[in-house]
Amino acid sequence: MSNELGLKVKPVTGISPEDEARVAAWINTEDYKLKNFARQALVVNPAHACQPLGAELCAHGFAETLPLVHGSQGCASYYRSTLNRHFREPAPAVSSAMSEDGAVFGGQNNLHEALENALALYKPKMIAVFTSCMPEIIGDDVSAFIKNARQKGCVPPGFLVPHANTPSFTGSHVHGYDSMLLAILQTLTEGKAMEGRCTGKLNFLAGFDANTGNYREYKRIFSEFGIPFTFLADISEVFDSPNDGTYRVYPGGTPLDDAADSINGKATLSVAPYATSKTMVWIKEQYSGVHASLPMPLGVARTDAFMLKLSELFDKPVPASLKAERGRAVDAMTDAHQYMHGKRFAVYGDPDNLGGFVAFLLEMGATPVHLLCSKGSKKLERELRALLDGSPYGKAGKIYMNRDLWHLRSLLMTDPVDAMIGETHGKFAARDAKIPLFRFGFPIFDRVNLHRRPIIGYQGVINMVTEICNKFIDIKDETCEDRFFEMMR
Amino acid sequence: MSEATVKKVDGITRESTQAMIDRTLQVYPEKAKAKRAPHLAPNDPQATSPCVKSNRKTVPGVMSARGCAYAGAKGVVWGPIRDMVHVSHGPVGCGYYSWGTRRNLMSGINGVSNFAMQMTSDFQEKDIVYGGDKKLAVLLKEVKDLFPLAKAISVLSECPVGLIGDDINAVAKRMSQELELPVIPCNCEGFRGVSQSLGHHISNDTIRDYVIETREFVEEAGPYDVALIGDYNIGGDVWSVKPLLEECGFNVKATWTGDGEIEKIAATHKVKLAIIHCYRSMNYMARVMEEKYGIPWIELNFFGPTKIRQSLRKLAERFDDRIKENVEKVIAKYDPIMQSVLDEYRPRLEGKKVMLYVGGLRPRHTVGAYEDLGMVVVGSGYEFAHGDDYERTSPEMPDATVLYDDASEYELEKFVQELKPDLVGSGIKEKYLFQKMGLPFRQMHSWDYSGPYHAYQGFPVFARDIDMAVNSPTWKLVKAPF
C-alpha cells in the first residue's frame, strides 16, 4: 500500500513562519543567485512555449483554414486555450486524438478519421496539420499518411493539406510558426510560379506576432504608401473579429489565392528574422522579385528603416502623412523623455521582440539592464550586444541567453531595476521586485485589449511612451509623501 | 424519485430533444455518427442506468474540449498542493500551458512555501535519444537546493517519458532516499486513457502508493475530524467551505487538494469522515480510505442555499446532537442573508435558461444554484465523466433536456442555436464562440476570474456574476442599428 519510498512515518509539522521568513530573505540574496545560476537540469518559469502553439497561430492566419494537431487531444486543448486567453477570441482547431493504441500502431487511422470528420463538420478550404510529441517520437510519417488519405478518399482530390513537423522537444513556439508557414506556402504555391508574371504586390511576413493592432497598423502604413500587399498569415480579423451576433469559424485570414500568387510577388519583406528564418531562406530561392528581412519596427530608428525599405522596394517616397506621424512620435518622446530617462529596465521575450524593445529604450535614454531570452541564440546575443555597444545608455546592459524567469527574479533582487518589459508570466517576479511590468509581448492573460493597441511603427512608439511614462507618473502620485503630491507632473 | 418531483421544461419533450440530436448528427460521416450518437440523449430523471455513453475515446477531428491524463494529474490533483514542487517532466509546453491557468489559489510565499510555478525538465532532442533519467536525478537535487522548504516533489510524466521507456519510478525511489524527501512519480503521460479522468485516477493511485500513512497528526484525534476532498480552491472555494465546516464544529484536518499541504494529506487516514465534493476526481481515494481505514465518505454539494442546507443536514446526520444543533444555528444564521441575495437577483433571472458544459461535478452540482436563482437548466454535459456521473446527473436535470458527453464544438453550437439559452456556462475554449453569437457566458471551470462560488460566502458572488452576465447592457449593443 503506502510509503513505497521507505521513509519513516513522521509527524505533520508544516513550514514554520521562521523558516519561511529565513528562506524568503535568502532567495533575494547574491548567494542564492549564484546557486540559481548554477542550475544544470531544472528549468523554472521559462518564457517560451512549444513549437505547435506557433504552428497553430500561423495556421489561423490563412482564410478558411482549420489547424489540426496530430497527436494527443490534450495538446490541442492547451494551445487553443492559450490563444483564447490571450486574444479573448475563439480559436477553432481539431486534433487527431491519438491515445495508447496510437502509440502501438501509429497515428495513421486517427489522422485519416480526423481529416474526414473535420471536413464534414467545419468545411475548411485547407487543413494545416502539425505534430505534437507523440507522433514525432513513434516516428509517424505524416507525409505518407496524407498521401494515403487522398488515396482512401478521406479528403477530396486537390484539397490542401500542408503539414509541418513541430516536436515540442526542439525550438519554441517561434520555430513552430516558421515551420508551419513554410509548409503552408510550399503547399499553396506549388506549381503557381509563372514566368513573367508579377502581382505588383508586397508579400509581408510579420512572424509570431500576437498583437492584432500591429497587423492593422502595418496595413494602414502600406495603404498610406499606396503599396498593394499580401499579408501572409494575417491573423488580424481572425483574432479581432467583430461581435455582431454571428459566430464565424473562419472570420478572416490571408485569402488562399493571394497566398498562392505570392510566389509571383514584386517584393517579399519579413520583419521577423527569427520567426521566419527557414521560410525566408526558401522564399529567396523560390519567389520572384526582391526579398528583404528587417528587424521588427519597434522604436523610431527601426521604423525609419522599415519606411525606407518600403520606399526603396516600391520606388515611392515616404508619404507626407507618415513623415508627420514620425514627427508626432518624436514629439511624444521629447515631451515625455524626462519620465523615462535613466530608468533601469529588465527586458525579456521572443527574439524578434527583444532587440526592438532595447532599441526603443535606448532611444528614450532609458537603461536596459537585464536582457533575457529563455530560448535564445548566439546570433541574438550578438545582435543585442551590438545594440548595447552602440549607445551610451547601453553600458549597464547584460545579456542572458537561455535563462528563465526564475533567473530573472534573482537578477531583479540583486541588481534592482525600475520596470520590466515582457509578458504576463513575469508578473510574479515584478510583484516581488515591486516594479511595474509593461506587457508588450505574448501572452497577455491578465489585461484587456492590449493585443489591440499597436506597438510597431510611429504610432506604436507613441503608445509605448504613453503607457510607460504614465505608469511612472501614477507610481509617483500613489507613493509620494503628501507634501510632494502636486497638480502637475 | 417520485413522479411529482420530476422537473419539466415547457416545449422540451423527449421527441423534440431526440429530433434536435438527430438533426445535429446529420452532418457527420457514418462512422463518426455511429460513435457520437450514444453520447447524446434526452434526460430521463428516473433512469436506472446512465442516459448516455461516456468515458470512451474521443472521436478524431470533431473538436473535443477534452484535456489529457497529464492535465488531470498536474492541473487537477497535484498542482493545487501548495507546499510541494511539481515537476512537469518532459518538453516545455505542458507545464507552460498549465502554469497558473486553473485558478487553484494557494497560501504561502511563491517560491518559498508555495510553488505555483512552472518547473520542468524542458526535454531537448538529446533527452529523447538518450533518455531523461539522469537529468531527472540532477534536477531533483537542484529542486531540494533551491527550494529547501518544499515538503515533497511530484514528477509528472509528459508523453515522451513513457514512449522512450524512462524509469522515473526507479529514479524517484533512489532520490527519495538520497534527498530524504518524498519524490512521487506519477506516470500520467497525456496519451494514457481517453481524457483528464485517467490522470485523476493515476494521481489517486500515487497518493495511495506513496503518500497516505506517511505522516501522523501531532494533536490527538477528535470526534469531529474531517477531510475536505475534491475541492480545489478555485477562486478561493476552500476558503469559503472550510470556515463553514469549522463554524459547524468540525476540525478540517486536510484539504484535498485545494490550498493543500502534503503532510496533512499524508495523515488523512486518521480522520473520521471524508467529505467529497468532486466525486469524479477523488472517489478513488475515498474508496481506498473506506476499505483500508474504515473512513466513511459523504458526497456533498455546496452550490446555492438549497443544496448547502441539504448538505449540512445530511452531514449532521452522521454526528451527534452538538453538531446537529450547530448546523441548525448556522443555517438559521445564513438563511436570511441568502434570502436577501435571492430577493435582489431572482427577479432579474427568473425563468432564464442555462446550458452547461463543464467537467468534474459542476454540470450537476450547480443546477440547484441556478434553480435557487429561478433559472432553468436546459442542457448539461461533461468533458470526461463516467456512467456514475450521469447517474447522479439525471435526477438533477429536468425531464427530456439534452445530455451531451464529450460534446464537439459543432454539437454545442447547434444545440445552443436550437435551444436559445439566456446563458451558457462552459470553458475558455467555448466562451468566445458563444459571446460572438451575442450570448451571455460564464466560464464555469475557472469562475471566470471571479469566485469563490462555494458555500455561503460563494453564493452571493455567484448570483452577482450570473446576473451581470445575463443582464449586462453590453449584449444589447450587439446588433447595429444600420
Side-chain angles (χ1 to χ4, degrees):
Chain A
M1 169 73 59
S2 69
N3 200 6
E4 296 201 346
L5 306 172
L7 303 171
K8 273 195 317 229
V9 176
K10 291 179 185 169
V12 172
T13 53
I15 294 171
S16 73
E18 295 75 28
D19 278 346
E20 195 179 50
R22 176 178 55 79
V23 174
W26 176 57
I27 65 168
N28 298 340
T29 62
E30 191 67 33
D31 173 54
Y32 188 85
K33 187 185 102 179
L34 292 174
K35 257 186 182 322
N36 192 13
F37 272 78
R39 267 190 277 142
Q40 296 295 314
L42 174 66
V43 172
V44 187
N45 299 352
H48 67 276
C50 63
Q51 286 209 74
L53 178 77
E56 179 170 335
L57 182 80
C58 176
H60 282 297
F62 289 87
E64 294 176 88
T65 297
L66 188 64
L68 191 163
V69 183
H70 181 45
S72 162
Q73 85 242 347
C75 309
S77 288
Y78 275 147
Y79 317 142
R80 291 180 64 203
S81 51
T82 302
L83 297 174
N84 295 140
R85 290 183 177 116
H86 172 76
F87 292 109
R88 300 184 195 242
E89 294 283 323
V94 297
S95 87
S96 61
M98 283 174 74
S99 52
E100 238 149 340
D101 51 357
V104 180
F105 303 111
Q108 172 154 259
N109 289 341
N110 289 70
L111 183 60
H112 288 181
E113 239 185 292
L115 287 168
E116 196 180 346
N117 291 336
L119 264 167
L121 265 60
Y122 301 104
K123 302 185 172 43
K125 290 265 170 60
M126 176 162 85
I127 296 180
V129 179
F130 51 97
T131 49
S132 60
C133 289
M134 189 178 176
E136 290 294 334
I137 287 172
I138 63 174
D140 272 4
D141 183 348
V142 179
S143 177
F145 291 179
I146 292 171
K147 260 186 212 134
N148 298 341
R150 291 188 196 286
Q151 276 166 10
K152 266 175 63 184
C154 301
V155 292
F159 185 82
L160 300 166
V161 191
H163 75 276
N165 292 93
T166 50
S168 303
F169 45 82
T170 59
S172 73
H173 55 287
V174 171
H175 304 87
Y177 181 94
D178 197 10
S179 295
M180 190 78 252
L181 182 60
L182 177 59
I184 289 174
L185 293 181
Q186 283 175 333
T187 301
L188 285 172
T189 61
E190 200 185 339
K192 302 286 181 183
M194 280 167 67
E195 199 64 43
R197 173 170 167 72
C198 177
T199 63
K201 293 205 277 186
L202 168 73
N203 302 314
F204 187 68
L205 288 73
F208 188 101
D209 184 347
N211 181 322
T212 56
N214 284 349
Y215 288 69
R216 296 192 192 286
E217 190 63 6
Y218 285 123
K219 290 194 269 192
R220 188 179 66 81
I221 291 168
F222 302 148
S223 302
E224 292 289 325
F225 261 101
I227 295 174
F229 61 90
T230 297
F231 203 133
L232 295 167
D234 179 6
I235 59 158
S236 57
E237 300 301 321
V238 179
F239 288 120
D240 188 14
S241 68
N243 191 334
D244 59 5
T246 302
Y247 167 63
R248 299 167 185 85
V249 184
Y250 312 108
T254 312
L256 299 187
D257 289 344
D258 290 356
D261 208 12
S262 66
I263 196 163
N264 303 308
K266 180 177 162 72
T268 301
L269 176 62
S270 165
V271 290
Y274 294 94
T276 62
S277 67
K278 281 201 301 189
T279 305
M280 282 307 285
V281 167
W282 177 81
I283 279 178
K284 279 172 189 156
E285 287 165 6
Q286 302 292 328
Y287 272 39
S288 65
V290 287
H291 319 106
S293 263
L294 283 179
M296 191 173 175
L298 293 164
V300 170
R302 288 178 175 215
T303 303
D304 288 347
F306 178 64
M307 297 295 168
L308 289 169
K309 182 57 80 176
L310 290 175
S311 168
E312 174 200 322
L313 291 173
F314 282 79
D315 197 23
K316 285 169 181 271
V318 178
S321 59
L322 292 175
K323 200 173 170 195
E325 205 169 297
R326 183 188 192 279
R328 285 196 293 275
V330 173
D331 195 55
M333 294 167 86
T334 51
D335 288 351
H337 74 274
Q338 68 197 64
Y339 304 102
M340 268 178 82
H341 192 105
K343 286 277 196 284
R344 291 159 53 85
F345 280 78
V347 185
Y348 64 94
D350 290 348
D352 282 313
N353 289 335
L354 264 178
F357 295 149
V358 171
F360 163 71
L361 289 174
L362 294 171
E363 284 175 348
M364 286 299 288
T367 310
V369 177
H370 310 303
L371 287 62
L372 182 137
C373 183
S374 72
K375 201 73 189 172
S377 63
K378 287 264 181 270
K379 185 178 166 229
L380 176 64
E381 190 169 355
R382 281 196 301 274
E383 186 206 321
L384 295 174
R385 186 77 267 156
L387 259 175
L388 292 173
D389 289 348
S391 164
Y393 304 101
K395 301 298 174 229
K398 291 205 181 87
I399 301 164
Y400 301 91
M401 281 298 115
N402 302 316
R403 298 294 188 173
D404 53 48
L405 298 182
W406 192 248
H407 291 120
L408 184 61
R409 189 191 182 284
S410 276
L411 295 171
L412 297 177
M413 291 305 171
T414 52
D415 188 6
V417 295
D418 299 300
M420 285 161 83
I421 291 178
E423 41 81 35
T424 287
H425 290 104
K427 73 187 290 183
F428 287 84
R431 182 177 162 95
D432 288 351
K434 300 185 173 64
I435 54 175
L437 167 63
F438 298 105
R439 290 157 176 80
F440 295 151
F442 168 91
I444 303 166
F445 290 156
D446 60 341
R447 294 293 185 272
V448 294
N449 291 331
L450 290 185
H451 67 279
R452 290 187 164 114
R453 62 94 177 80
I455 58 168
I456 61 104
Y458 301 125
Q459 186 57 49
V461 168
I462 297 174
N463 290 344
M464 288 194 289
V465 169
T466 305
E467 212 167 304
I468 293 174
C469 293
N470 282 338
K471 182 68 193 180
F472 283 132
I473 296 169
D474 277 343
I475 290 171
K476 186 155 197 176
D477 271 349
E478 284 159 13
T479 59
C480 71
E481 286 178 44
D482 283 348
R483 61 200 174 120
F484 288 113
F485 184 74
E486 45 183 322
M487 192 59 71
M488 293 180 292
R489 290 290 185 203
Chain B
M1 180 178 278
S2 71
E3 194 67 44
T5 58
V6 169
K7 296 177 268 193
K8 302 265 188 194
V9 181
D10 278 351
I12 293 181
T13 64
R14 234 155 262 194
E15 293 70 30
S16 71
T17 297
Q18 190 58 53
M20 175 179 76
I21 292 168
D22 293 345
R23 280 192 295 277
T24 302
L25 286 171
Q26 264 172 12
V27 67
Y28 279 92
E30 282 311 313
K31 190 175 168 191
K33 189 190 290 181
K35 282 186 182 176
R36 286 299 307 150
H39 295 263
L40 310 168
N43 183 40
D44 176 359
Q46 290 161 313
T48 50
S49 63
C51 294
V52 293
K53 206 167 161 180
S54 57
N55 199 30
R56 292 289 185 274
K57 272 193 280 189
T58 302
V59 181
V62 301
M63 212 178 296
S64 163
R66 276 177 168 175
C68 61
Y70 164 87
K74 198 254 178 161
V76 177
V77 178
W78 285 105
I81 302 176
R82 72 177 194 231
D83 58 357
M84 60 186 290
V85 164
H86 308 289
V87 177
S88 295
H89 188 40
V92 70
C94 313
Y96 182 87
Y97 305 119
S98 55
W99 173 16
T101 50
R102 185 161 178 249
R103 303 200 64 238
N104 46 264
L105 305 183
M106 48 179 79
S107 323
I109 302 173
N110 188 255
V112 175
S113 52
N114 91 39
F115 306 95
M117 303 153 83
Q118 139 72 327
M119 306 241 202
T120 177
S121 45
D122 189 19
F123 265 28
Q124 302 300 307
E125 191 111 40
K126 65 177 191 312
D127 302 310
I128 303 291
V129 176
Y130 299 110
D133 285 347
K134 278 189 188 146
K135 187 180 202 176
L136 178 61
V138 176
L139 179 151
L140 293 168
K141 273 186 220 155
E142 291 173 352
V143 168
K144 169 126 186 181
D145 273 357
L146 289 166
F147 306 101
L149 299 184
K151 293 285 188 179
I153 304 170
S154 69
V155 179
L156 308 169
S157 292
E158 300 169 10
C159 287
V161 172
L163 293 169
I164 62 175
D166 272 9
D167 188 354
I168 63 162
N169 298 49
V171 177
K173 190 166 188 180
R174 181 161 56 80
M175 294 309 292
S176 283
Q177 281 157 0
E178 194 179 320
L179 301 177
E180 295 184 333
L181 188 72
V183 179
I184 300 150
C186 185
N187 306 105
C188 55
E189 287 86 351
F191 61 80
R192 296 190 194 279
V194 301
S195 70
Q196 295 92 310
S197 179
L198 190 66
H200 309 146
H201 197 155
I202 292 168
S203 300
N204 275 239
D205 288 352
T206 48
I207 292 175
R208 177 195 68 198
D209 294 342
Y210 294 94
V211 177
I212 197 83
E213 285 185 4
T214 59
R215 292 272 169 173
E216 287 194 350
F217 293 111
V218 179
E219 60 279 12
E220 234 168 82
Y224 308 120
D225 290 354
V226 297
L228 178 60
I229 311 273
D231 188 326
Y232 299 103
N233 203 31
I234 309 302
D237 281 339
V238 164
W239 299 329
S240 173
V241 176
K242 192 167 174 257
L244 173 62
L245 293 171
E246 285 164 355
E247 206 176 339
C248 294
F250 295 102
N251 297 319
V252 181
K253 305 291 284 184
T255 58
W256 292 35
T257 53
D259 200 28
E261 293 159 85
I262 190 67
E263 292 179 345
K264 292 181 180 173
I265 290 171
T268 302
H269 59 296
K270 296 288 187 186
V271 302
K272 298 290 183 296
L273 179 75
I275 296 171
I276 310 294
H277 206 228
C278 180
Y279 168 86
R280 178 73 275 125
S281 59
M282 281 288 180
N283 77 87
Y284 316 99
M285 269 311 289
R287 290 173 203 282
V288 166
M289 290 196 286
E290 182 174 45
E291 282 159 26
K292 175 108 196 281
Y293 316 109
I295 301 170
W297 51 282
I298 182 171
E299 269 181 86
L300 297 181
N301 178 345
F302 292 109
F303 290 101
T306 304
K307 294 292 182 186
I308 300 171
R309 208 182 295 121
Q310 283 172 9
S311 290
L312 291 179
R313 287 187 174 134
K314 196 170 142 190
L315 177 62
E317 282 304 309
R318 307 282 189 111
F319 292 89
D320 58 13
D321 286 348
R322 190 182 139 191
I323 293 286
K324 288 193 183 87
E325 281 163 26
N326 283 350
V327 159
E328 287 310 319
K329 271 188 222 156
V330 165
I331 290 172
K333 174 182 158 190
Y334 286 101
D335 263 353
I337 302 170
M338 294 301 109
Q339 190 55 48
S340 70
V341 172
L342 296 177
D343 290 344
E344 179 173 0
Y345 295 109
R346 189 164 171 141
R348 291 204 288 274
L349 295 168
E350 190 79 50
K352 301 278 187 196
K353 291 191 282 185
V354 190
M355 278 180 71
L356 300 172
Y357 180 62
V358 211
L361 51 88
R362 288 152 184 182
R364 62 174 178 276
H365 266 35
T366 59
V367 171
Y370 287 110
E371 288 175 352
D372 281 342
L373 292 171
M375 300 171 77
V376 190
V377 184
V378 296
S380 195
Y382 299 79
E383 282 181 24
F384 50 82
H386 297 211
D388 47 6
D389 293 299
Y390 285 102
E391 282 171 8
R392 288 162 161 78
T393 308
S394 278
E396 300 290 333
M397 288 291 292
D399 187 43
T401 50
V402 63
L403 297 178
Y404 26 84
D405 177 70
D406 184 22
S408 70
E409 194 161 293
Y410 180 85
E411 291 159 10
L412 288 176
E413 194 186 335
K414 293 293 157 202
F415 294 158
V416 166
Q417 278 168 355
E418 296 219 13
L419 293 169
K420 299 184 174 55
D422 301 287
L423 176 76
V424 179
S426 188
I428 187 72
K429 298 189 289 300
E430 295 76 36
K431 179 178 173 88
Y432 302 104
L433 184 170
F434 293 114
Q435 292 198 167
K436 292 287 181 204
M437 290 165 69
L439 270 175
F441 186 101
R442 287 298 296 183
Q443 291 184 66
M444 292 302 288
H445 298 266
S446 69
W447 306 152
D448 227 320
Y449 321 126
S450 177
Y453 281 178
H454 286 178
Y456 288 126
Q457 281 183 46
F459 184 68
V461 181
F462 173 80
R464 179 204 65 194
D465 287 356
I466 298 305
D467 174 52
M468 78 179 169
V470 171
N471 294 311
S472 164
T474 56
W475 301 115
K476 296 198 172 67
L477 303 170
V478 167
K479 284 289 170 207
F482 44 82

